[in-house]
Amino acid sequence: MSSAVSDRLPTFPWDKLEPYKKTAATHPDGIVDLSVGTPVDPVPELIQKALVAAADSPGYPTVWGTPELRDALTAWVERRLGARGITHRHVLPIVGSKELVAWLPTQLGLGPGDKVAYPRLAYPTYEVGARLARAEYEVYDDPTELDPTNLKLLWLNSPSNPTGRVLSKEELRRTVAWAREHGVLIFSDECYIELGWEADPVSVLHPDVCGGSYEGIVSVHSLSKRSNLAGYRAAFLAGDPEVLGPLLQIRKHGGMMTSAPTQAAAVAALGDDTHVSEQRERYAARRTALREALVRHGFRIEHSEASLYLWATRDESCWDTVAHLADLGILVAPGDFYGTAGETFVRVALTATDERVAAAVARL
């Protein structure tokens, strides 16, 4: 039975990178791993202290989170995203954003005959979620050019993983209007919204985009990147209560709850902007150093105006580029992991220590 489910899934892409990782690891000065966007900097002390203070949590946590967590979520959504009138009914904690992306179509009750759409260059888990639900899926360049027939879930992603592209207010406003006209539910993956460099990312929940109504729209947010909490699995949804209410009930039945210490840590993280600014400065410095080195080495950088990655090309097969950089002891992600449109690009993550970034710059 389990094999019948796994047969619906594509080959796990990262397994294909292993031979190149072995090559890069043979470099005399060690590997510089810029392939996976996993944080490497310390968890801020105030968050660690909040986690430890809540360590004596023998009882079950709630799926909806503590009132303190919901207060922190609503306050952050209004302060950071510019949304108005956000109540506890407008927010829902999740166990990291990846589990939500993978299981959302199933939790929405989608199945054969229903369609899920996502950007042509995109995080692979959007497709995985559709496959798990046995739903159909398709990619787009402009979502308003999709056939809305049987389209039940439209994924937006701004800032984009992998390209770092940011959708403008006008693009978002036009898409929200189109989706509402056709009764299509929007989930907007905004996990990198704190990391705008040459653009100021805006949420679908901003009144200039949604007109002050959250009907048919939900945004997805994560503390993994902004607060170095990938190991905590702390994320949340914000948006239409008519969507979040049924999801809350489903997730209660499924026991999809964030641990109590993690909920306490998230309250501390959401209430403090200083550590976010400090982490942004680290990433900005690494981005500048890597970008300049890649350009000098003969790369062209496209988009990359936000997020934790540089979308780079030498106008050759991405696997040739991966091999070339592996010979220098640098591991990057091939662009075709994110769709065939990325077959001449590589994704270069900013998530390495200052020392390792300096090593990569020197080798380039």
Side-chain angles (χ1 to χ4, degrees):
M1 294 291 289
S2 61
S3 65
V5 176
S6 64
D7 286 347
R8 300 179 208 163
L9 303 178
T11 302
F12 190 63
W14 294 96
D15 292 343
K16 296 166 62 178
L17 204 55
E18 280 303 313
Y20 301 92
K21 186 174 185 178
K22 290 179 180 177
T23 297
T26 64
H27 191 280
D29 186 38
I31 187 173
V32 179
D33 192 343
L34 305 177
S35 62
V36 182
T38 186
V40 297
D41 298 301
V43 173
E45 187 175 356
L46 84 161
I47 301 175
Q48 292 190 49
K49 286 182 175 179
L51 183 83
V52 171
D56 185 14
S57 298
Y60 289 111
T62 63
V63 173
W64 201 16
T66 61
E68 293 78 13
L69 176 57
R70 282 177 264 143
D71 283 345
L73 293 174
T74 57
W76 185 88
V77 169
E78 292 199 342
R79 182 179 81 251
R80 180 59 186 85
L81 305 184
R84 295 292 177 263
I86 298 296
T87 70
H88 286 195
R89 294 178 61 245
H90 292 87
V91 295
L92 177 62
I94 54 178
V95 192
S97 58
K98 184 170 185 174
E99 66 89 353
L100 183 281
V101 174
W103 293 106
L104 179 64
T106 299
Q107 293 177 8
L108 291 173
L110 305 191
D114 297 323
K115 290 192 300 186
V116 176
Y118 50 86
R120 187 171 301 281
L121 281 165
Y123 185 47
T125 312
Y126 302 134
E127 177 186 334
V128 167
R131 284 177 176 246
L132 285 170
R134 299 181 185 268
E136 298 174 16
Y137 51 90
E138 60 182 301
V139 299
Y140 65 79
D141 294 307
D142 180 346
T144 65
E145 296 177 356
L146 290 164
D147 179 355
T149 306
N150 296 325
L151 178 59
K152 300 298 177 63
L153 174 60
L154 173 61
W155 278 107
L156 304 182
N157 181 207
S158 175
S160 163
N161 175 14
T163 69
R165 182 187 173 205
V166 172
L167 297 176
S168 67
K169 279 185 181 179
E170 176 53 38
E171 288 175 296
L172 289 170
R173 183 165 50 239
R174 181 168 57 88
T175 300
V176 167
W178 177 88
R180 285 175 171 166
E181 178 185 352
H182 296 288
V184 176
L185 174 63
I186 285 180
F187 265 68
S188 180
D189 183 344
E190 301 172 356
C191 288
Y192 295 93
I193 202 164
E194 298 272 24
L195 297 168
W197 311 116
E198 296 156 5
D200 186 15
V202 65
S203 172
V204 291
L205 303 185
H206 193 285
D208 290 349
V209 173
C210 68
S213 166
Y214 306 118
E215 179 186 357
I217 55 173
V218 176
S219 62
V220 184
H221 294 274
S222 169
L223 277 67
S224 294
K225 308 303 193 292
R226 73 183 291 280
S227 300
N228 299 335
L229 295 188
Y232 284 44
R233 310 316 300 136
F236 63 95
L237 306 177
D240 191 344
E242 299 303 316
V243 177
L244 299 187
L247 282 178
L248 172 59
Q249 297 306 315
I250 291 166
R251 294 172 69 83
K252 282 181 179 179
H253 283 290
M256 305 179 86
M257 59 189 81
T258 305
S259 76
T262 296
Q263 291 188 31
V267 172
L270 290 162
D272 178 71
D273 293 332
T274 300
H275 77 275
V276 180
S277 298
E278 292 171 350
Q279 189 60 44
R280 274 181 53 87
E281 290 176 6
R282 295 186 191 103
Y283 284 137
R286 293 166 187 166
R287 178 180 181 271
T288 297
L290 283 169
R291 184 178 189 128
E292 291 177 355
L294 287 165
V295 169
R296 286 196 304 268
H297 197 75
F299 282 88
R300 185 175 74 255
I301 310 296
E302 291 196 359
H303 290 299
S304 308
E305 58 260 31
S307 84
L308 277 182
Y309 312 104
L310 294 170
W311 189 237
T313 182
R314 299 202 307 173
D315 296 309
E316 64 184 6
S317 163
C318 60
W319 289 101
D320 289 344
T321 305
V322 168
H324 168 72
L325 292 174
D327 287 339
L328 299 177
I330 302 169
L331 189 68
V332 297
D336 65 3
F337 278 10
Y338 309 95
T340 56
E343 59 190 9
T344 61
F345 285 80
V346 293
R347 193 193 74 170
V348 184
L350 309 179
T351 49
T353 64
D354 292 343
E355 184 274 332
R356 287 289 84 189
V357 168
V361 168
R363 296 173 197 181
L364 290 166

